[in-house]
Amino acid sequence: MRAISSFAKAPFQWRHYRAAANMMRTYHRPAATFLRYLIGGGHYPDRITLSTPSGAVGVTLYSEHDLLTLNEIFCRRDYDAPDKAELVVDFGSNIGISALYFLTRNPRAHAYLFEPVPMNVARLRENLGGFEGRYTLFPFAVGMVEGPVPFGCEPTGRYGGIGLSRETRIAVPCRPANVVIDEILARYGHIDVLKVDIESFEDEIILALGERARRIETIFVERRFDSNPLRETHLYKQYGAVAQFRRRDPAVR
């Protein structure tokens, strides 16, 4: 069951009302899914059908943690990207729920996805069935160094990161975030959405963007900041655990 403290705080946070309203519009079986979300548990894997701007799509969840992620992204709208976003870079794609959200907002969207855990990669490919050709998947971690790094992961696949202490440690290939971003900027000139959720090095990646930030319209970071680290280029809002940055002048590329 979900923690009692989370329910106690919910009435004072408007984003939860938004999530509840979106559950009714998004889930094909909203009452059953909402109940499962509240109490936890249930049988997994389970296939959930969603209503999206691109029509009905299915997503396979493997644990109650995946349902939390699904609700955060599709209903609470933690990554509330502009509908016109066409080029998305997703650091920490996990089983593809965030990618599915971005790809169903706009039929012209293409996503560059980065996920190093083999189990998650296989699940991501399944969840993005039908979207082949609209995403490019890189099975490696994104951090601050080039080469193999120790990566901690646990059975659900949701919580893992470079150097973290978890039940399992594997070696995964890694590339520096700025090298990856530079390669994409060299090809396209801009990035519409950058999402960073890698459980480590979020601070370092954002602070190292420098002038690159001017060519990124919207940035989502799974991280709480005390102040705006991109104040010269972006407006900042803390939306729960997600920092949202919107470029001050989105017309400039």
Side-chain angles (χ1 to χ4, degrees):
M1 181 174 288
R2 304 279 308 284
I4 296 298
S5 60
S6 66
F7 292 120
K9 296 175 183 177
F12 303 99
Q13 300 178 16
W14 71 268
R15 60 199 177 99
H16 294 303
Y17 293 100
R18 181 189 196 188
N22 284 332
M23 282 181 181
M24 303 304 295
R25 292 190 288 262
T26 300
Y27 298 134
H28 276 211
R29 299 176 60 226
T33 308
F34 183 55
L35 179 62
R36 174 181 283 196
Y37 170 78
L38 286 179
I39 67 175
H43 297 288
Y44 294 95
D46 190 29
R47 189 79 171 169
I48 303 290
T49 302
L50 310 169
S51 296
T52 79
S54 297
V57 298
V59 58
T60 299
L61 308 181
Y62 295 88
S63 73
E64 62 184 276
H65 300 275
D66 292 338
L67 181 57
L68 296 180
T69 301
L70 185 70
N71 194 67
E72 290 163 0
I73 294 174
F74 274 86
C75 299
R76 203 168 69 191
R77 303 287 175 85
D78 282 7
Y79 305 135
D80 196 8
D83 291 341
K84 63 183 177 62
E86 296 185 12
L87 183 61
V88 177
V89 178
D90 187 341
F91 291 165
S93 298
N94 200 252
I95 65 169
I97 296 175
S98 55
L100 188 65
Y101 176 78
F102 293 129
L103 292 174
T104 54
R105 301 305 98 183
N106 183 339
R108 297 177 301 279
H110 188 94
Y112 283 79
L113 311 178
F114 299 82
E115 173 56 47
V117 180
M119 177 183 71
N120 288 344
V121 168
R123 293 173 175 180
L124 180 152
R125 292 187 187 278
E126 178 186 347
N127 279 329
L128 296 185
F131 290 89
E132 293 86 358
R134 292 189 52 203
Y135 70 90
T136 306
L137 175 61
F138 299 90
F140 54 75
V142 177
M144 304 303 292
V145 300
E146 184 90 38
V149 294
F151 192 97
C153 47
E154 41 72 57
T156 72
R158 188 182 194 228
Y159 309 100
I162 297 171
L164 296 185
S165 177
R166 295 290 187 265
E167 289 91 327
T168 303
R169 266 200 159 194
I170 59 176
V172 301
C174 180
R175 297 198 68 205
N178 278 346
V179 171
V180 171
I181 291 171
D182 284 343
E183 290 173 353
I184 296 172
L185 289 175
R187 180 172 181 180
Y188 296 99
H190 74 283
I191 294 171
D192 291 318
V193 174
L194 171 64
K195 177 217 135 189
V196 184
D197 181 11
I198 57 175
E199 303 291 333
S200 55
F201 298 109
E202 284 89 350
D203 282 16
E204 291 88 340
I205 288 172
I206 295 306
L207 291 172
L209 283 175
E211 288 298 305
R212 300 172 184 85
R214 298 186 184 277
R215 292 193 280 167
I216 306 174
E217 183 170 332
T218 304
I219 303 171
F220 300 109
V221 187
E222 192 81 11
R223 173 74 166 82
R224 294 182 184 274
F225 291 90
D226 294 328
S227 60
N228 185 359
L230 300 176
R231 62 180 61 86
E232 293 184 5
T233 56
H234 288 70
L235 301 173
Y236 157 71
K237 178 175 73 172
Q238 191 69 46
Y239 189 72
V242 176
Q244 301 180 346
F245 300 91
R246 316 277 182 177
R247 194 169 54 190
R248 292 182 181 276
D249 185 359
V252 176
R253 285 183 174 174

